[in-house]
Structure formats: C-alpha cells, structure tokens
C-alpha cells in the first residue's frame, strides 16, 4: 500500500439527463502502484472514459460523482473542504492525461509551441524562454522530427501521429507521476498505433511513470500492461495480471472479448462476435449486467448482482459462474 499512488474506491458517477439518470459508473474499485501500467478495457459505453474523467476531476454538469472516493497518495480528491483545490493542484502536475482523438484535442488556431509553453508557464511559472526550451526538449523526448520547425506549426499542418506525440509531450510537461492515456491510438493507422504504444512503453520505463491505459482493444494492452481491469455496463467484470487474464479469462465477457479478437495464427471464415447489446444504463439490470448476453446465465444472474470477489491471489471476478482453468 505504501507504493500505491492512486486508489479508486466504490466510485459511482451519474448523469442527470432529461431521458433519466444515466448510471455511467457503478461501484468501481481499483488501484495503481508506482511504476505500474494498468489497462482499463471494455467496449464503447462501458464507463472507461467517465472513470478517467472522475479521477481527473473533470466530470461536469449534468454529471456528478454520487458515491465512492478517489484517493491520490492516500488523500481524497472527492471529499473534504480542500478537495476541489487539491485536484486543481494535482491535475496537470502530478497526474496528467492524454485525451482521445488527436485530430480534435489540440486548438487549431494556436501553434504547437504556444500550446506546449502554456502548460509550463501556467503550472510551473516558467518564463517565456524557459517554457520554449522545455517544449523543444519534450518534442525531442517524444521523437518528434525537427522539433524547432514543429514548434512553429499549427495542428492542421501535422499528421495524426505527430499530433498524438504533441499531446503526449504536453502531458509530460510537468513530469507527472501518473499518466492517463484515454484511447491514445484512436483514429491512427496500425503502423502509427504501434509507434505510439512503443513510445509510451519507453517513456514509462525511462521516466518511471505509472500509466492507466484506457482502450477497447485487447491487443493494445497485451504487450504494454502489467494488470488489466475489464469493464462492462459501468462495472468491473474482471481484474488480474495481464498474462493470467489472457491465458485463462474467468468472466464470460472477458472470454467473449478474447474470442472476438482476430488472430494472425488462425484462419477463420467468420469473425466471432458477442450476441446481443450492452445494457441501457438509464435502466440498468438489477442482476449481472452481462446476463442477457451470457450463455452461462442462471436465474441468480438475472436477480442478484455479483460483487467483485477474489478467486485467487491478484485475481478478482464479478460472476456467479466464473470459468476456471482446466
């Protein structure tokens, strides 16, 4: 626990809309240690990005954290008279985030240099010259070609991969201890995706970063993460070391995700898919959120919510009928 940087405990986030209350995140708990890379995996709408926004204190109206806590080095960022001030101090300094979609995350009317220097001038009080030198250093750190030229260019003059490198450089400006990467390879082609993931892995090792990698692609986390949290219907379905979850997934949803992932060592005439659709989080089921799509579903699954429970050291699953290694 002494090395635990981030702890999410029973987090609940709801959005109060005209259609009804959206239960976006429901009782989510996990932690991140120093120098650890954790993957948060699930299909679109499972609650991954909302979880990251709650950690960063970026849930805005009509959303609200309605229960649970987020603790940074043991200090609550949700409760207490100084919580709002604490999250503003930590955000961008000790915890930083790479937002998804590099095509729209940068302001198109400002140069790359002006957007990079703004971070260090605002958070660290750098002079204009100091901020410029730090920006060039960061562009070089993320393997940007010709940093001095890129510094003067606008986002529209850069490719998607270059923009993603700029976003990573911006997130590293204040030397954070935790980097949250929300779908960092979205909208990038396969070759550039591999380069960005390799860059993140190198930065994690060189800078001693802890990383929360959010994605819907299991292939992305396979060679990058130490542990994986599988999320479905606003809840965690399974948590465990990456090798164990990939080799012997215990939750039916985890197995379905892995079975539906194309493999280069197998030839199939048709890709496997998970039948059905995700639950409506305006009226979430009272039982297991995956019950309607699960082949192992029983009456208990429909009527009673399974809690995330430890099945062996380091492995947790929320299922009444978990698979076991044969």
């Amino acid at each position: 626990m002494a090395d635990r940087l981030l702890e999410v405990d029973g987090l609940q986030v709801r959005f109060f809309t005209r259609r009804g209350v959206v239960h976006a995140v429901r009782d989510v708990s996990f932690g991140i240690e120093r120098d650890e890379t954790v993957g948060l995996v699930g299909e679109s709408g499972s609650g991954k990005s909302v979880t990251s926004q709650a950690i960063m204190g970026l849930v805005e109206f009509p959303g609200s954290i309605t229960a649970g806590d987020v603790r940074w080095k043991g200090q609550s960022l949700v409760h207490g008279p100084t919580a709002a001030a604490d999250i503003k101090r930590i955000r961008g300094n000790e915890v930083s985030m790479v937002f998804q979609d590099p095509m729209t995350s940068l302001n198109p009317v400002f140069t790359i240099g002006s957007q990079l220097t703004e971070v260090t001038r605002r958070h660290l009080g750098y002079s204009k010259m100091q901020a410029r030198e730090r920006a060039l250093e960061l562009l070089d750190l993320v393997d940007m070609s010709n940093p001095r030229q890129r510094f003067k260019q606008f986002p529209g003059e850069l490719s998607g991969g270059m923009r993603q490198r700029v976003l990573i450089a911006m997130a590293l400006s204040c030397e954070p201890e935790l980097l949250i990467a929300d779908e960092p390879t979205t909208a990038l082609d396969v070759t550039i995706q591999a380069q960005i993931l390799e860059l993140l892995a190198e930065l994690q090792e060189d800078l001693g970063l802890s990383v929360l990698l959010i994605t819907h692609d299991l292939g992305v986390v396979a060679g990058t993460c130490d542990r994986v949290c599988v999320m479905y219907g606003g809840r965690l379905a399974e948590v465990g070391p990456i090798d164990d979850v990939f080799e012997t997934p215990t939750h039916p949803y985890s197995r379905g995700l892995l079975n539906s992932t194309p493999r280069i060592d197998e030839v199939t005439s048709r890709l496997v898919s998970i039948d059905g659709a995700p639950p409506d989080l305006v009226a979430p089921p009272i039982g297991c959120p995956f019950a309607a799509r699960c082949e192992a579903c029983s009456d208990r699954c429909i009527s009673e919510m399974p809690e995330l429970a430890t099945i062996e050291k380091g492995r947790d699953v929320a299922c009444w009928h978990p698979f076991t290694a044969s």
Side-chain angles (χ1 to χ4, degrees):
M1 292 295 291
D3 287 332
R4 177 159 290 187
L5 287 176
L6 178 74
E7 194 168 2
V8 178
D9 184 15
L11 182 66
Q12 180 175 284
V13 181
R14 294 178 178 176
F15 289 85
F16 300 87
T17 70
R18 291 181 180 179
R19 181 168 172 256
V21 179
V22 180
H23 302 259
V25 176
R26 304 187 289 158
D27 194 25
V28 168
S29 300
F30 65 92
I32 300 177
E33 313 289 333
R34 291 185 186 275
D35 303 324
E36 182 182 35
T37 301
V38 175
L40 187 58
V41 178
E43 59 193 286
S44 297
S46 61
K48 308 183 302 298
S49 293
V50 175
T51 299
S52 68
Q53 291 166 9
I55 292 171
M56 295 291 290
L58 297 175
V59 176
E60 298 181 347
F61 181 82
S64 175
I65 297 176
T66 55
D69 200 2
V70 177
R71 292 187 288 271
W72 175 250
K73 298 179 181 178
Q75 178 183 5
S76 175
L77 302 180
V78 176
H79 305 292
T82 64
D86 290 337
I87 188 61
K88 287 183 179 179
R89 174 179 54 82
I90 291 169
R91 184 172 57 223
N93 287 315
E94 299 178 48
V95 183
S96 196
M97 187 168 179
V98 179
F99 294 93
Q100 58 180 307
D101 194 356
M103 304 302 179
T104 59
S105 296
L106 292 169
N107 193 320
V109 301
F110 291 99
T111 65
I112 296 303
S114 65
Q115 295 184 64
L116 275 171
T117 55
E118 180 185 8
V119 178
T120 49
R121 296 193 71 180
R122 179 182 178 86
H123 288 287
L124 302 179
Y126 279 12
S127 67
K128 186 176 181 180
M129 184 60 68
Q130 287 175 319
R132 184 177 187 279
E133 290 305 312
R134 176 60 174 163
L136 293 173
E137 177 186 326
L138 288 164
L139 290 175
D140 184 61
L141 180 67
V142 298
D143 296 329
M144 180 72 81
S145 61
N146 200 345
R148 294 186 182 277
Q149 178 183 340
R150 306 304 178 199
F151 184 88
K152 302 174 184 177
Q153 291 182 311
F154 290 87
E157 299 178 80
L158 304 183
S159 67
M162 287 180 176
R163 287 186 235 188
Q164 192 63 281
R165 290 174 189 271
V166 171
L167 289 175
I168 294 172
M170 191 178 297
L172 297 176
S173 296
C174 300
E175 300 183 358
E177 296 177 69
L178 173 64
L179 178 67
I180 300 175
D182 186 5
E183 301 277 10
T185 57
T186 296
L188 303 178
D189 63 58
V190 176
T191 303
I192 303 302
Q193 282 185 22
Q195 293 176 5
I196 295 299
L197 292 173
E198 183 179 355
L199 172 63
L200 285 173
E202 291 175 355
L203 292 171
Q204 194 271 343
E205 183 175 352
D206 294 344
L207 304 177
L209 284 171
S210 295
V211 178
L212 176 61
L213 179 61
I214 299 170
T215 181
H216 62 272
D217 188 343
L218 283 173
V220 167
V221 304
T224 308
C225 298
D226 303 305
R227 287 190 300 124
V228 62
C229 303
V230 181
M231 198 165 184
Y232 183 81
R235 295 176 60 88
L236 289 181
E238 183 169 359
V239 178
I242 190 73
D243 291 338
D244 293 347
V245 173
F246 270 63
E247 290 175 9
T248 57
T250 57
H251 196 282
Y253 179 60
S254 304
R255 292 175 71 94
L257 282 180
L258 287 167
N259 289 336
S260 62
T261 302
R263 297 180 54 168
I264 61 174
D265 60 342
E266 294 181 0
V267 178
T268 58
S269 59
R270 184 182 180 87
L271 294 176
V272 178
S273 63
I274 303 175
D275 293 334
D280 182 359
L281 294 182
V282 172
I286 60 174
C288 175
F290 191 63
R293 306 173 73 182
C294 182
E295 295 179 355
C297 177
S298 66
D299 291 341
R300 188 181 189 187
C301 300
I302 297 173
S303 62
E304 190 176 347
M305 178 74 73
E307 298 297 325
L308 194 68
T310 301
I311 56 172
E312 59 184 71
K313 186 176 180 180
R315 297 201 66 179
D316 303 322
V317 64
C319 182
W320 295 123
H321 309 292
F323 292 94
T324 56
S326 56

